[in-house]
Amino acid sequence: MRLAHPCLRGRRRHVYHYRSYSGKSRTEIVEAEMSRIRNIGIMAHIDAGKTTTTERMLYYTGFTRALGDVDDGDTVMDYMSQERQRGITIQSAAISFNWRDHRINLIDTPGHVDFTVEVERSLRVLDGAVAVFDASAGVEAQTLTVWRQADRYSVPRIAFLNKMDKTGASLEYSINSIRDKLKTVPLVLQLPIGIEKTFSGMVDLVSMEKLTWTLGPGNDGSEYQTTPLQDVDDAELQERALVERALLIEQLAELDDKMAELLLSGDGTCDLESIPAEEVHMALQRVTCAQTGVPVLCGSSLKNKGVQPLLDAIIRYLPDPQDKGKELEQLYEDSLCAYAFKITHHKQRGPLTFLRIYSGTITPQSTIYNVSRDCTERVNRLLLVFADEYREMASMSAGNIAMVVGLKQTYTGDTLVTSPSAVVSAKKVRGQLQNQGHSISDMGDEDAPVLAGLDVPEPVFFCTIEAPSMSKQQELDAALVNLQKEDPSLHVKIDPETGQTVLSGMGELHLEIIQDRILKEYKLETHLGPLQVAYRETVGGTAQETVTVDRVLGAQKHHAVVTVSVQPVELDGQMRDVGVYFGLDRRTVNREVQTAVKTGIASACTQGPLLGYPVVGAEVTVDSIEVGPGTSLAMVSACAAQATQKVLKKSGGKILEPMMMLEITTDEGHMRSVLADLSQRRGRVTEVQSRAESRVVMAEGYSTAIRTVTSGQATFTMELFRYEEMTSLDQNRLLKKMTTFDVEGF
């Protein structure tokens, strides 16, 4: 028997020395060298068990003395009141702990699609990730989303098949789901022992050991038995393990040249059984970092089984910070370069900025330069984060995740360096590297060497928000400013016609959480208007329009004539902004006038002619510009805006509605109600799957009434898939509903 946190050889028991820290016990965080640091994220579909897995990691590494439970609302990572009430993760939370002389900086991310920006900005700065799967469901809707996000930032991953004790859990189904839906190569490292309620452990195919957990009084999963497979009296299990290990090594040989060379060394024959475990571990590490395959482990976090081998896999297979950000290290060398990936607001401390440090060192009471905003900021305090608690640090170096107090003008996505002179030096180094034929792919700005920002999705829903009284409006405005700074996916604007404040977000839950936070954190009881869909408008055909502006302001005459034409662009379901082109010789028009015309066109396209929604999927061509002497640029811009408004109306506008990708899980008894509701809302069913005792409906459309029509028995996820043109009949119904008159033949 061996202890899972971290074991010593034989049967010796490792004893941790705990210290008290704000009610929690934890081990001292080691000052690890960069090769012993792992910056990882936990990502998954909602309810796959991310937070439970993280809580078990904290317990087995000695960070906490008690096992946190999502249902009991006492987890370390889900510390917001809204998270504990609803039993879901809303904000990403960071924490640091030790495992086998390594330092793991972990970020637990949300699984709900409404908070996908939290996953986006976390993956932007992480070196590796653990994708958690419900072993009875395999790849689910949000799994696909977070996987694509990890692909976007080239984040190596390992997979953890959780809930192996659940009814319907299947290793084979989950592996096929990963292979078919995620288009990757799953590398099975463990075979489960027992199924569903009889699940008791697994066989490690690398070391060929049997790992079993016997839980009971006094054993919370910290201890488990490790038995060499040759000593196990189960010939069938041994035979299956040998076959699966051979398959694993063959897969590695196809993906890794060194493993292929090892197999073919000597007399050219392959002896798969003789391949040492250490060689397999190294091959798995190379394949994982190259993202050509994904190691797959299994367990049951809630039942305290399989978490310690998962921690070992994180250390063995996921990369250290030296493997990422090498281009930055070349540019800034030993000088500070950090990326602000998250902002939170504290009542007493003000803005708290999360930084990923790529090079150099940061210290408190120092001055740093924000390259993105071209301003200097002061670091008042430097903190190491433990979910909602912090520890003062004297300094933090490259490879770490830190929190800084005192940055007033920094926003998510900004790049921070030592000083402006560091930027000048980085430019020189970049120029030298480019002259040598190197490409600097991670630098998003041609002028200043800054890290590329986030890909924040467009909001899909919006509603009005009202303060409890006019005297509280200023407080509400201040609260919304802070919340927008924290959440890049939250948009706030003032309706120019009604003067109302309009919130735009990723979904109904997103906006509800914003309202609840305003109540809990800012003590303001606000009222949300009805939830509305964020439609888009486009043009129905080609058209041309000329507008002349002749005005005398004071003693100055302003004269401008602008002719523009418009034509539709094939959307293919994608959101394409309006493109502006000049059909005339641009050399005949000075740059200031061109900029004024572009500004006017862009302004006109923010509100379409039908319902005032933004215009997409069109090309506006400036055919001619005539500007009189002394005419102001503002007048030119106004002329271009009027011409654009007229040509958009003349082209025959069309409404685009958002089509959502729905995944609905329900029982057989409610299938008819679900399908009828989707049909009523013009939804399209694309696939119906059987999953254990449930049915899974994949559809395109929109519905928030699923829980109502199934009496709360169904669960569903909804994610923006594309925008689609409405039929003439549906468009006229919508226009009639929203404008209170029939616009047939508009």
Side-chain angles (χ1 to χ4, degrees):
M1 183 175 292
R2 73 176 183 184
L3 267 195
H5 44 299
C7 66
L8 299 177
R9 296 192 178 276
R11 300 173 62 88
R12 288 184 293 170
R13 192 178 292 266
H14 187 94
V15 180
Y16 276 106
H17 297 283
Y18 296 103
R19 70 183 188 88
S20 178
Y21 185 80
S22 300
K24 295 186 179 72
S25 297
R26 64 192 66 187
T27 59
E28 290 290 342
I29 303 299
V30 294
E31 288 298 329
E33 59 187 38
M34 199 181 298
S35 63
R36 291 183 174 271
I37 294 176
R38 299 291 183 273
N39 293 313
I40 68 161
I42 305 289
M43 63 182 198
H45 183 86
I46 191 170
D47 289 334
K50 299 179 308 303
T51 301
T52 300
T53 301
T54 304
E55 293 296 320
R56 296 309 183 263
M57 289 181 178
L58 299 180
Y59 181 72
Y60 296 135
T61 58
F63 184 89
T64 57
R65 284 185 176 176
L67 290 166
D69 193 291
V70 172
D71 294 332
D72 294 338
D74 60 357
T75 60
V76 173
M77 303 303 280
D78 287 348
Y79 55 84
M80 292 176 63
S81 60
Q82 293 87 354
E83 293 176 317
R84 293 188 169 181
Q85 288 169 5
R86 297 170 185 263
I88 62 172
T89 302
I90 293 170
Q91 284 194 345
S92 54
I95 204 157
S96 297
F97 53 86
N98 293 344
W99 182 252
R100 301 192 186 283
D101 296 325
H102 285 71
R103 174 172 171 168
I104 299 178
N105 299 319
L106 180 146
I107 297 180
D108 182 24
T109 65
H112 198 288
V113 66
D114 282 19
F115 311 108
T116 188
V117 74
E118 290 288 332
V119 184
E120 184 84 18
R121 61 179 168 191
S122 298
L123 290 173
R124 176 66 184 80
V125 299
L126 293 173
D127 304 321
V130 176
V132 180
F133 298 79
D134 181 334
S136 69
V139 175
E140 300 177 85
Q142 186 65 3
T143 316
L144 285 165
T145 301
V146 298
W147 198 269
R148 286 194 298 266
Q149 290 173 306
D151 283 339
R152 187 179 302 128
Y153 297 113
S154 301
V155 177
R157 279 142 277 177
I158 58 179
F160 180 61
L161 303 183
N162 192 26
K163 303 188 179 184
M164 289 300 299
D165 61 314
K166 185 178 176 181
T167 300
S170 168
L171 176 70
E172 183 180 2
Y173 173 81
S174 298
I175 293 299
N176 290 336
S177 178
I178 291 172
R179 181 186 298 110
D180 297 340
K181 294 184 178 181
L182 301 181
K183 309 301 181 186
T184 189
V185 180
L187 303 168
V188 180
L189 306 190
Q190 297 172 339
L191 294 180
I193 299 174
I195 59 170
E196 300 177 352
K197 292 182 179 179
T198 63
F199 174 69
S200 60
M202 65 281 296
V203 173
D204 186 329
L205 297 176
V206 180
S207 64
M208 293 299 280
E209 294 176 322
K210 178 182 178 182
L211 313 178
T212 52
W213 281 257
T214 306
L215 305 181
N219 185 7
D220 49 17
S222 297
E223 299 180 0
Y224 61 95
Q225 287 184 320
T226 302
T227 309
L229 200 57
Q230 68 237 24
D231 297 339
V232 176
D233 187 18
D234 189 334
E236 184 179 344
L237 182 64
Q238 291 177 354
E239 181 63 27
R240 185 186 172 201
L242 286 171
V243 171
E244 293 295 335
R245 188 177 197 268
L247 177 61
L248 170 64
I249 293 174
E250 288 174 359
Q251 285 181 300
L252 287 172
E254 292 177 359
L255 301 171
D256 181 66
D257 291 341
K258 291 185 178 180
M259 177 58 74
E261 291 173 5
L262 182 64
L263 288 180
L264 298 174
S265 60
D267 59 0
T269 60
C270 299
D271 184 5
L272 300 181
E273 294 183 27
S274 65
I275 301 295
E278 192 56 38
E279 292 290 347
V280 180
H281 284 312
M282 290 190 292
L284 283 166
Q285 197 269 346
R286 291 190 295 268
V287 167
T288 304
C289 292
Q291 299 171 63
T292 52
V294 177
V296 180
L297 298 93
C298 61
S300 173
S301 298
L302 186 63
K303 299 299 183 180
N304 308 322
K305 299 172 184 176
V307 176
Q308 299 94 330
L310 175 61
L311 283 164
D312 289 339
I314 290 170
I315 298 302
R316 285 191 178 116
Y317 308 136
L318 292 179
D320 63 62
Q322 295 177 108
D323 294 327
K324 297 197 78 175
K326 289 184 177 179
E327 294 173 347
L328 280 169
E329 292 175 11
Q330 287 179 297
L331 294 186
Y332 286 96
E333 298 176 336
D334 295 330
S335 177
L336 172 69
C337 180
Y339 182 82
F341 69 94
K342 182 179 172 70
I343 311 287
T344 62
H345 188 80
H346 192 276
K347 286 185 178 180
Q348 283 76 38
R349 293 169 174 160
L352 307 178
T353 307
F354 286 78
L355 301 179
R356 166 65 196 269
I357 306 171
Y358 285 98
S359 64
T361 302
I362 189 169
T363 58
Q365 302 303 318
S366 61
T367 300
I368 58 177
Y369 177 65
N370 187 325
V371 186
S372 307
R373 308 279 165 186
D374 189 22
C375 65
T376 300
E377 298 259 53
R378 183 169 181 80
V379 178
N380 293 335
R381 299 169 68 188
L382 182 64
L383 307 171
L384 183 62
V385 184
F386 299 102
D388 60 337
E389 298 178 353
Y390 321 101
R391 179 191 299 174
E392 296 274 359
M393 301 295 289
S395 67
M396 293 190 76
S397 56
N400 284 299
I401 292 173
M403 177 185 279
V404 168
V405 182
L407 307 187
K408 308 293 186 185
Q409 302 177 64
T410 298
Y411 285 77
T412 298
D414 288 355
T415 301
L416 304 168
V417 300
T418 307
S419 64
S421 61
V423 178
V424 175
S425 300
K427 286 181 183 179
K428 292 180 180 178
V429 175
R430 181 175 63 181
Q432 293 170 357
L433 291 173
Q434 288 173 337
N435 290 336
Q436 296 170 9
H438 298 284
S439 63
I440 310 298
S441 60
D442 202 30
M443 295 300 162
D445 193 306
E446 286 296 323
D447 183 41
V450 297
L451 285 154
L454 291 177
D455 183 11
V456 180
E458 287 291 321
V460 183
F461 303 97
F462 68 93
C463 65
T464 59
I465 184 170
E466 297 177 0
S469 64
M470 289 299 295
S471 62
K472 298 290 186 180
Q473 184 62 46
Q474 193 171 355
E475 293 180 37
L476 175 60
D477 292 342
L480 291 174
V481 168
N482 290 335
L483 290 170
Q484 277 189 99
K485 194 170 184 180
E486 292 184 21
D487 184 356
S489 64
L490 175 66
H491 294 222
V492 181
K493 69 175 184 179
I494 304 298
D495 189 307
E497 295 182 4
T498 65
Q500 290 179 298
T501 303
V502 179
L503 297 184
S504 301
M506 301 308 299
E508 185 175 8
L509 179 60
H510 184 201
L511 298 177
E512 284 179 4
I513 294 296
I514 292 297
Q515 182 188 28
D516 195 43
R517 289 190 62 191
I518 291 172
L519 175 62
K520 296 275 194 342
E521 298 172 26
Y522 297 93
K523 312 302 180 187
L524 292 172
E525 292 189 11
T526 57
H527 171 71
L528 290 184
L531 191 70
Q532 300 182 58
V533 179
Y535 295 99
R536 296 290 186 268
E537 298 186 25
T538 190
V539 297
T542 59
Q544 188 180 62
E545 193 69 48
T546 301
V547 167
T548 301
V549 172
D550 268 311
R551 290 186 185 176
V552 178
L553 297 177
Q556 180 63 49
K557 181 180 179 180
H558 299 269
H559 174 79
V561 182
V562 177
T563 300
V564 296
S565 57
V566 68
Q567 64 180 22
V569 175
E570 184 63 38
L571 286 172
D572 296 327
Q574 302 299 313
M575 291 289 292
R576 302 183 192 277
D577 292 333
V578 173
V580 180
Y581 303 91
F582 286 83
L584 69 167
D585 187 351
R586 298 180 66 169
R587 291 174 295 182
T588 63
V589 182
N590 69 53
R591 184 170 296 180
E592 290 79 8
V593 171
Q594 291 182 36
T595 302
V597 170
K598 282 186 175 181
T599 301
I601 293 172
S603 174
C605 290
T606 59
Q607 290 188 311
L610 297 178
L611 293 173
Y613 290 102
V615 178
V616 297
E619 287 183 356
V620 178
T621 302
V622 182
D623 297 316
S624 67
I625 304 171
E626 180 184 326
V627 180
T631 301
S632 69
L633 294 176
M635 203 63 68
V636 175
S637 184
C639 183
Q642 290 179 32
T644 305
Q645 289 169 347
K646 286 190 175 184
V647 80
L648 290 174
K649 189 172 183 179
K650 186 176 181 180
S651 69
K654 292 186 177 182
I655 301 293
L656 303 174
E657 62 179 337
M659 297 297 292
M660 313 301 288
M661 181 64 74
L662 283 163
E663 182 178 291
I664 306 161
T665 304
T666 185
D667 56 28
E668 186 68 39
H670 290 100
M671 272 292 291
R672 182 174 296 178
S673 299
V674 168
L675 296 176
D677 183 70
L678 288 171
S679 176
Q680 180 184 349
R681 299 170 191 276
R682 297 179 288 112
R684 292 190 293 270
V685 176
T686 58
E687 187 181 358
V688 178
Q689 303 174 353
S690 295
R691 187 179 292 169
E693 299 176 358
S694 301
R695 302 295 294 277
V696 180
V697 179
M698 312 294 290
E700 297 173 13
Y702 170 72
S703 177
T704 56
I706 296 297
R707 290 193 181 96
T708 303
V709 300
T710 61
S711 304
Q713 298 302 305
T715 61
F716 75 98
T717 59
M718 189 166 58
E719 179 185 5
L720 178 64
F721 178 48
R722 66 184 177 211
Y723 272 83
E724 195 170 278
E725 188 178 309
M726 298 182 76
T727 65
S728 298
L729 180 61
D730 292 328
Q731 178 170 315
N732 282 321
R733 285 175 178 168
L734 177 67
L735 291 170
K736 184 176 181 180
K737 176 183 176 182
M738 299 187 71
T739 60
T740 69
F741 62 85
D742 196 350
V743 290
E744 189 74 31
F746 176 80

